[in-house]
Amino acid sequence: MIYPILIILAIFSQTSPVLSAAPPFPQAHKLTLLIEKYQKDIADDSSPWPQWTCLQHSFRLGEKDPALSTTKQQLKRLGFLVESKDIITNPIYDAPLEKAIRQFQLRHFIEPDGIIGKKTCTALNMSLQERIRKIKLNLDRLGKLKFNQGERYVLVNIPTYQAYAMEGYKAILSQPVIVGMRSRQTPVFKSTMNSVTLNPSWGVPVSIFVRDKLRRVLDDPSYLDNHGYVVTDSDGQPLYGGDVNWAHVSMQYFPYRVRQLPGKHNALGAIKFNLDNKHAIYLHSTPDQKLFQKTSRALSSGCVRLSAPSDLAVWALGTTPSYAADKIDQLLKKETTHTLKLKDRCGFISLI
């Protein structure tokens, strides 16, 4: 897991050289305040940061282990646990520890299940010095971003699963997003948004088909037809999904094109935001809205899924005549594909 620095931490003191270079992002201001707190905590207690080995075992309420005493010490120094010395040194997973763990998990964008697994252990083991180092790294990244007053761009904060529609340094809109899973992370890059596609079709990349769809197709030959996919051969001739011998395809051998038509099953949802980039990354809606209820949302194959795509579309097309909210809604209801060019392109930035 990438540790979520940008939103839970803040910039340096007045004497820090980073402060003068940092742009006026709201995230940067929050980062300053927390780094000041960490520096004070280190001054008050300079002893080594408590550590324990992250095992495959997950600790749950009622269990007993020496590592749980270390966990309590970590949470106390981070301000999540305020208990007596007897409770802190007691190596039992008790109710106060469970409450503190859930709060810690929420702050660190880990599913707040109260179970101390490897992700939670890794985050707990990060010392204050390491947290400060990561804050400085992210402040340096923020400091290199320079914008003019009113300049429009989309900022995606990958580790905090949030997207912002920005004008200069002011966030006009914000919304939860889903980003790339650990094995297919959303890359850090800068680009421009050139158009918005309503009711898009989806040309399924071979890698995603083989990794994510092939097993479903092998288990159910009617899967593709039932979910709005069309298959063509290398000559562009349509094929019935059930007539293809899918057991023979692989990353190296895939003589077909698979496309999902617009509709309720389409993986891109109703709106796609097109970006100029070599990574084949774009922003889009999704039919799986329930996934936004999760705290940890590194679930996609790299693209960014939006929880409120219509709001972003209205903002992105706001400078383009004839594309007000009601017009966009009318086009969506037609269920045919429309690509709307932006009169004024806006930027795109992803950060960790």
Side-chain angles (χ1 to χ4, degrees):
M1 175 185 176
I2 302 171
Y3 188 73
I5 291 291
L6 286 180
I7 186 180
I8 67 169
L9 312 174
I11 3 191
F12 304 125
S13 65
Q14 296 288 341
T15 59
S16 169
V18 178
L19 179 61
S20 60
F25 285 105
Q27 297 97 328
H29 178 66
K30 292 177 182 179
L31 287 168
T32 308
L33 300 177
L34 195 54
I35 215 170
E36 288 178 350
K37 177 184 181 302
Y38 286 165
Q39 289 173 330
K40 182 179 184 301
D41 290 344
I42 292 172
D44 292 342
D45 185 353
S46 59
S47 60
W49 187 255
Q51 296 277 323
W52 56 285
T53 303
C54 300
L55 306 172
Q56 293 300 322
H57 178 74
S58 297
F59 294 110
R60 291 170 169 79
L61 186 65
E63 293 188 335
K64 184 176 182 178
D65 191 278
L68 294 172
S69 178
T70 303
T71 299
K72 289 180 178 181
Q73 295 174 46
Q74 293 170 326
L75 290 167
K76 183 175 179 63
R77 289 184 65 172
L78 289 170
F80 289 93
L81 191 61
V82 183
E83 300 293 340
S84 67
K85 183 177 180 180
D86 289 343
I87 292 178
I88 295 296
T89 56
N90 190 346
I92 293 178
Y93 196 149
D94 49 26
L97 176 56
E98 183 187 41
K99 180 180 178 181
I101 284 292
R102 289 182 185 275
Q103 292 173 340
F104 178 85
Q105 289 172 328
L106 272 172
R107 182 74 66 85
H108 290 74
F109 297 89
I110 302 170
E111 212 61 45
D113 53 14
I115 299 171
I116 308 175
K118 194 166 185 178
K119 284 184 179 180
T120 302
C121 171
T122 301
L124 284 166
N125 277 343
M126 184 179 293
S127 67
L128 296 182
Q129 289 84 352
E130 178 63 9
R131 291 167 191 263
I132 290 173
R133 187 190 71 81
K134 286 181 175 284
I135 297 170
K136 290 181 178 180
L137 178 63
N138 281 280
L139 282 169
D140 182 60
R141 288 173 177 149
L142 286 174
K144 293 176 181 177
L145 300 177
K146 304 295 182 183
F147 298 99
N148 297 321
Q149 182 71 27
E151 187 173 348
R152 294 157 55 87
Y153 57 100
V154 176
L155 175 65
V156 173
N157 188 338
I158 296 171
T160 62
Y161 313 114
Q162 286 285 324
Y164 304 86
M166 304 288 294
E167 295 182 7
Y169 296 109
K170 182 179 180 181
I172 306 302
L173 297 170
S174 67
Q175 60 181 282
V177 297
I178 292 168
V179 300
M181 62 186 76
R182 187 170 185 175
S183 59
R184 310 178 210 174
Q185 294 182 7
T186 301
V188 175
F189 69 103
K190 296 175 69 174
S191 179
T192 55
M193 182 186 300
N194 56 66
S195 61
V196 178
T197 300
L198 308 181
N199 299 314
S201 61
W202 179 40
V204 186
V206 172
S207 60
I208 292 179
F209 187 93
V210 173
R211 290 174 178 174
D212 302 338
K213 304 295 181 184
L214 183 56
R215 176 48 55 190
R216 297 182 185 183
V217 174
L218 292 173
D219 292 342
D220 178 10
S222 64
Y223 173 84
L224 294 176
D225 299 294
N226 292 339
H227 289 80
Y229 292 91
V230 293
V231 182
T232 56
D233 62 19
S234 56
D235 295 322
Q237 296 301 309
L239 301 169
Y240 174 64
D243 292 338
V244 177
N245 188 348
W246 294 110
H248 289 173
V249 303
S250 65
M251 293 281 197
Q252 294 71 36
Y253 176 76
F254 200 92
Y256 309 107
R257 293 185 63 187
V258 181
R259 184 167 61 93
Q260 191 177 31
L261 301 176
K264 64 179 182 179
H265 294 301
N266 190 282
L268 304 187
I271 307 178
K272 174 188 174 188
F273 298 81
N274 303 300
L275 307 174
D276 296 322
N277 70 101
K278 64 180 181 181
H279 309 286
I281 295 296
Y282 43 85
L283 291 76
H284 64 89
S285 49
T286 174
D288 296 325
Q289 287 293 308
K290 63 182 182 296
L291 295 178
F292 290 102
Q293 298 173 12
K294 293 180 174 291
T295 302
S296 177
R297 296 190 296 276
L299 304 168
S300 81
S301 293
C303 289
V304 178
R305 304 181 198 171
L306 302 162
S307 57
S310 294
D311 293 345
L312 188 64
V314 171
W315 173 82
L317 293 163
T319 61
T320 305
S322 304
Y323 292 131
D326 56 345
K327 177 65 173 180
I328 295 172
D329 189 53
Q330 291 173 16
L331 293 174
L332 287 172
K333 288 178 179 178
K334 290 183 178 181
E335 297 186 357
T336 54
T337 301
H338 295 271
T339 296
L340 312 178
K341 295 287 186 181
L342 299 187
K343 177 177 179 291
D344 299 311
R345 290 189 175 195
C346 61
F348 172 87
I349 301 169
S350 57
L351 289 172
I352 57 172

